[in-house]
């Protein structure tokens, strides 16, 4: 078997370029190959600690008849570590990749792993950079590449390159997988819904599918604040969350500073009891940029952009007002139109009010509206087709406006971005497996969104079966796990006994290759007194309850029902 240094040189790597599908042309001259040895990763969200060596191969290809240039980066393990596997990876925010932070997850499990720049102008360039050819004109090739095409091409080219690089026989099985969270989760579903045999399995977390609803709902908290004419300070919002956690912590049978049963919190906690509670926070100096969008930190997906510098804030103290609780209550109901009909799902009790973060006006001494950039840019650039990255104001914007924007986006991008097709029969028939998980305290994508999709797939694919039979049928190839206390694509430092399924890809591999059905999902404690320990996460629709510190997965139909919403405010099916 050749050494890594023998195969990771330009001539050999170039010889492994496969024949591409019709309409695509590779650029051999663009290819570079660089060997890296003894790379170490630790304390990552999506893969365990490891040391490894790999070959980084980067090259470009183009679509015939166009002037585009699409770049791929592939990490290939040393030949003696290759285990006949391929891994595609996705992005976050409006980025189609998460940088090299996502690729170790493949190498660790003996897979070649790849990412794409989508043809957007480089690995650090997001899809929105070239969304418009000009104001009023969508760059539709860009939209379709972001929507699904680039990930499909990555899988097709990456698998073919892997087979040739490792000189695999045609009769040898190459197992193919996907891992991604947030936008990366949506990208994963974009393939599962379209290409039956592209992957053997997909590990998908907190997907940003139902794209027009998801992006627009980021503005809901802002519209609540403007409608009720009250803008809670960060400290007041934090106090509401902290008191919610304190009140609901023990409802799951264990007092550990973590809400494992946000459904019981919703059913039994009266948030009005927080009115009058004192809060106090120190001043902050501010300065520095907001968090960048696109590729995220090591082992995780990209996140929404920070949109500008972080402003200094004064010391904050007072008591939680009735107005602040009214804002929180309205937010936790989820978007309803002006007739009171439900339009979209809310975040869970205990989640931070990130979308509603306010800004301090030093001149007036008041907290004011701060329009969330991720939601605002979706409206201006994707719907209004203006080359602007945020709304200037929310004047005239009502709950009905948000509903109209959701529907408009679903119509405009139904065949590219929406990504909520519920009939997965071809994927299931091809033997594919999906491991889908979502943090219960996610403050960017409501976990009820994932529940809704799982239930939609169940009802569409198994309409004549009983609840028990249809659940069993779906769980035989598609399992959903709600992760106690976890936030967006990560464990929750504010609830230190939250879990995160760090080895989800390994669990998926065992399911696909060895038929080890994941009845539960192992979650790791990243913080707190249990740091480093493992606890099992229950598969939906079972819910966790702790007895003598041990988790039990229980059937609680009232709690399950609390996750499901009649979206009668939308005049079309919302899968």
């Amino acid at each position: 078997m050749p050494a890594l240094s023998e195969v990771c040189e330009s001539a050999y790597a170039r010889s492994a370029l496969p024949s591409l599908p019709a309409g695509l042309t590779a650029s051999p001259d663009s290819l570079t190959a660089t060997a890296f040895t003894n790379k170490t990763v630790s304390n990552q969200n999506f893969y365990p600690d490891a040391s490894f060596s790999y070959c980084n191969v980067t090259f470009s290809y183009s679509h015939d008849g166009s002037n585009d240039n699409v770049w791929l980066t592939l990490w290939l393990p040393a030949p003696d570590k290759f285990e006949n596997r391929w891994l595609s990876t996705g992005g976050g925010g409006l980025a189609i990749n998460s940088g090299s932070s996502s690729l170790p997850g493949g190498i660790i499990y003996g897979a070649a792993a790849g990412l794409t720049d989508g043809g957007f102008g480089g690995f650090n360039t997001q899809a929105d950079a070239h969304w418009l050819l000009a104001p009023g004109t969508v760059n539709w090739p860009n939209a379709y590449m972001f929507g699904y095409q680039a990930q499909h091409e990555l899988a097709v080219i990456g698998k073919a390159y892997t087979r040739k690089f490792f000189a695999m026989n045609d009769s040898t099985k190459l197992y193919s997988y996907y891992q991604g969270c947030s936008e990366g989760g949506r990208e994963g579903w974009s393939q599962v819904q379209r290409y039956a045999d592209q992957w053997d399995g997909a590990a998908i977390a907190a997907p940003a599918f139902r794209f027009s609803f998801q992006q627009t709902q980021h503005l809901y908290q802002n519209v609540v604040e403007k409608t009720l004419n009250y803008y809670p300070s960060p400290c007041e919002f934090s106090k509401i969350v902290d008191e919610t956690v304190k009140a609901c912590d023990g409802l799951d049978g264990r007092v550990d500073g973590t809400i494992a049963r946000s459904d019981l919190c919703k059913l039994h906690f009266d948030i009005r009891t927080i009115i009058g509670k004192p809060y106090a926070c120190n001043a902050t100096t501010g300065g520095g940029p907001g968090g960048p969008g696109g590729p995220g930190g090591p082992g995780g997906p990209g996140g929404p952009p920070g949109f500008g510098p972080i402003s200094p804030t004064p010391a904050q103290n007072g008591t939680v007002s009735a107005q602040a609780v009214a804002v929180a209550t309205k937010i936790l109901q989820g978007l309803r139109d002006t007739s009171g009909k439900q339009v979209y799902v809310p975040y869970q009790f205990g989640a931070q009010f990130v979308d509603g973060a306010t800004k301090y006006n030093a001149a007036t001494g008041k907290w004011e509206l701060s329009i969330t950039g991720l939601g605002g840019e979706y409206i201006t650039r994707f719907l209004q087709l203006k080359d602007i990255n945020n709304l200037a104001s929310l004047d005239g914007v009502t709950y009905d406006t948000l509903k109209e924007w959701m529907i408009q986006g679903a119509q405009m991008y139904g065949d590219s971005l929406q990504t909520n097709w519920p009939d997965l029969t071809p994927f299931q028939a091809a033997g594919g497996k999906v491991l889908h998980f979502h943090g219960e305290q996610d403050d960017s994508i409501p976990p009820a969104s994932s529940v809704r999709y799982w239930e939609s797939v169940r009802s569409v694919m198994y309409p004549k079966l009983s609840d028990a039979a249809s659940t069993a049928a779906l769980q035989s190839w598609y399992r959903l796990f709600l992760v106690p206390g976890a936030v967006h694509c990560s464990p929750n430092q504010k609830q230190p006994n939250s879990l995160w399924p760090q080895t989800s890809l390994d669990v998926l591999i065992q399911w696909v290759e060895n038929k080890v059905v994941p009845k539960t999902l192992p979650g790791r404690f990243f913080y707190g007194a249990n740091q480093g320990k493992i606890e099992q996460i229950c598969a939906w629709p079972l819910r966790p309850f702790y007895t003598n510190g041990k988790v039990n997965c229980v059937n609680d139909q009232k709690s399950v029902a609390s996750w499901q919403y009649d979206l009668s405010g939308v005049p079309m099916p919302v899968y």
Side-chain angles (χ1 to χ4, degrees):
M1 187 171 291
L4 179 65
S5 59
E6 296 177 70
V7 296
C8 195
E9 52 87 25
S10 295
Y12 180 83
R14 195 170 291 120
S15 72
L17 280 171
S19 298
L20 301 193
L24 303 180
T25 300
S27 171
D29 292 341
S30 70
L31 187 145
T32 61
T34 307
F36 292 87
T37 58
N38 300 319
K39 178 179 175 64
T40 299
V41 292
S42 61
N43 202 35
Q44 307 302 304
N45 292 343
F46 286 89
Y47 43 80
D49 298 356
S51 294
F52 53 87
S53 300
Y54 65 96
C55 180
N56 181 324
V57 174
T58 297
F59 61 90
S60 68
Y61 67 93
S62 61
H63 297 87
D64 297 351
S66 72
N67 294 317
D68 68 349
N69 205 32
V70 184
W71 286 90
L72 303 182
T73 286
L74 313 182
W75 282 15
L76 302 115
D80 64 335
K81 301 295 184 182
F82 180 57
E83 297 187 39
N84 298 344
R85 294 173 183 144
W86 162 262
L87 177 70
S88 291
T89 65
L94 294 174
I96 200 167
N97 69 75
S98 297
S100 60
S101 66
S102 61
L103 300 180
I107 302 296
I108 289 169
Y109 296 112
L115 58 81
T116 176
D117 82 335
F120 306 147
F123 293 110
N124 294 319
T125 303
Q126 299 193 148
D128 57 333
H130 305 291
W131 198 259
L132 304 176
L133 294 173
T137 304
V138 174
N139 182 352
W140 283 109
N142 184 95
Y144 285 111
M145 285 293 280
F146 186 54
Y148 64 88
Q149 187 178 342
Q151 280 291 346
H152 177 55
E153 292 170 359
L154 168 65
V156 171
I157 297 171
K159 289 192 294 182
Y161 187 91
T162 298
R163 296 192 73 94
K164 198 167 180 182
F165 185 88
F166 291 106
M168 295 180 66
N169 295 324
D170 291 343
S171 60
T172 301
K173 168 74 173 176
L174 175 67
Y175 287 98
S176 182
Y177 298 98
Y178 179 82
Q179 185 175 48
C181 189
S182 192
E183 163 57 27
R186 187 203 64 79
E187 291 163 26
W189 280 116
S190 78
Q191 307 301 290
V192 171
Q193 293 168 9
R194 286 177 171 84
Y195 306 109
D197 59 356
Q198 178 168 291
W199 298 325
D200 296 292
I204 295 174
F209 50 18
R210 215 173 293 107
F211 195 78
S212 68
F213 288 74
Q214 165 57 29
Q215 300 304 95
T216 304
Q217 70 88 28
H218 278 296
L219 291 166
Y220 174 58
Q221 296 187 18
N222 292 155
V223 175
V224 169
E225 291 165 337
K226 186 169 177 60
T227 301
L228 299 184
N229 194 30
Y230 188 78
Y231 306 95
S233 71
C235 195
E236 191 169 23
F237 259 149
S238 292
K239 182 64 174 179
I240 292 173
V241 173
D242 292 345
E243 289 296 325
T244 300
V245 173
K246 186 185 301 183
C248 296
D249 179 5
L251 296 178
D252 55 27
R254 181 171 70 184
V255 177
D256 60 355
T258 298
I259 298 179
R261 291 292 299 277
S262 58
D263 42 29
L264 293 178
C265 191
K266 174 184 176 181
L267 292 171
H268 299 293
F269 177 55
D270 185 352
I271 196 172
R272 293 171 298 180
T273 60
I274 301 175
I275 295 172
K277 298 277 188 179
Y279 63 84
C281 298
N282 295 328
T284 63
T285 56
F307 296 97
I310 300 170
S311 302
T313 60
Q316 304 159 52
N317 57 74
T319 58
V320 176
S321 65
Q323 297 100 311
V325 168
V327 167
T329 299
K330 186 66 175 175
I331 289 171
L332 290 169
Q333 288 176 348
L335 175 60
R336 298 175 181 177
D337 62 21
T338 51
S339 69
K341 294 180 178 179
Q342 195 83 30
V343 175
Y344 203 51
V345 300
Y347 296 109
Q348 294 298 110
F349 276 65
Q352 300 287 325
F353 298 97
V354 172
D355 290 336
T358 53
K359 62 183 179 183
Y360 183 68
N361 186 326
T364 63
K366 294 181 179 180
W367 293 92
E368 297 178 345
L369 181 69
S370 178
I371 301 174
T372 176
L374 195 56
E377 185 186 17
Y378 176 70
I379 305 306
T380 56
R381 199 180 305 276
F382 288 64
L383 298 189
Q384 297 174 349
L385 308 185
K386 299 175 181 178
D387 193 17
I388 301 172
N389 66 7
N390 205 346
L391 291 162
S393 78
L394 291 179
D395 291 348
V397 176
T398 67
Y399 303 135
D400 286 345
T401 309
L402 296 180
K403 178 173 93 169
E404 291 162 6
W405 282 338
M406 288 177 172
I407 295 170
Q408 179 187 352
Q411 292 172 324
M412 286 180 67
Y413 300 109
D415 65 344
S416 54
L417 299 179
Q418 197 67 356
T419 321
N420 64 330
W421 185 256
D423 185 0
L424 306 179
T425 300
F427 182 81
Q428 183 271 333
K433 303 288 189 290
V434 178
L435 199 64
H436 179 172
F437 52 98
H438 203 141
E440 281 206 25
Q441 303 291 280
D442 195 318
D443 49 27
S444 184
I445 299 176
S449 167
S450 285
V451 170
R452 186 170 190 86
Y453 184 72
W454 190 91
E455 293 289 352
S456 295
V457 174
R458 183 170 71 93
S459 63
V460 167
M461 291 186 63
Y462 307 107
K464 296 181 179 180
L465 299 183
S466 66
D467 282 354
S470 60
T471 294
L474 185 53
Q475 287 186 332
S476 70
W477 60 275
Y478 170 20
R479 287 183 169 250
L480 170 64
F481 299 86
L482 299 179
V483 186
V487 289
H488 189 57
C489 298
S490 70
N492 187 353
Q493 288 182 290
K494 292 183 178 295
Q495 296 185 33
N497 278 298
S498 66
L499 296 167
W500 190 253
Q502 184 187 49
T503 57
S504 55
L505 182 57
D506 183 47
V507 172
L508 178 66
I509 289 170
Q510 296 304 316
W511 191 10
V512 168
E513 298 180 22
N514 299 317
K515 297 181 173 54
V516 180
V517 179
K519 295 182 179 180
T520 55
L521 184 63
R524 180 189 175 197
F525 292 101
F526 276 72
Y527 311 108
N530 294 314
Q531 185 174 3
K533 295 181 180 179
I534 302 298
E535 185 171 88
Q536 298 303 309
I537 301 167
C538 298
W540 176 267
L542 298 182
R543 305 294 295 132
F545 192 83
Y546 301 91
T547 304
N548 297 323
K550 301 296 183 181
V551 64
N552 300 288
C553 298
V554 300
N555 185 347
D556 184 341
Q557 286 302 306
K558 189 173 183 181
S559 290
V560 168
S562 76
W563 285 87
Q564 301 176 53
Y565 294 84
D566 176 13
L567 302 186
S568 59
V570 185
M572 62 181 187
V574 183
Y575 296 118

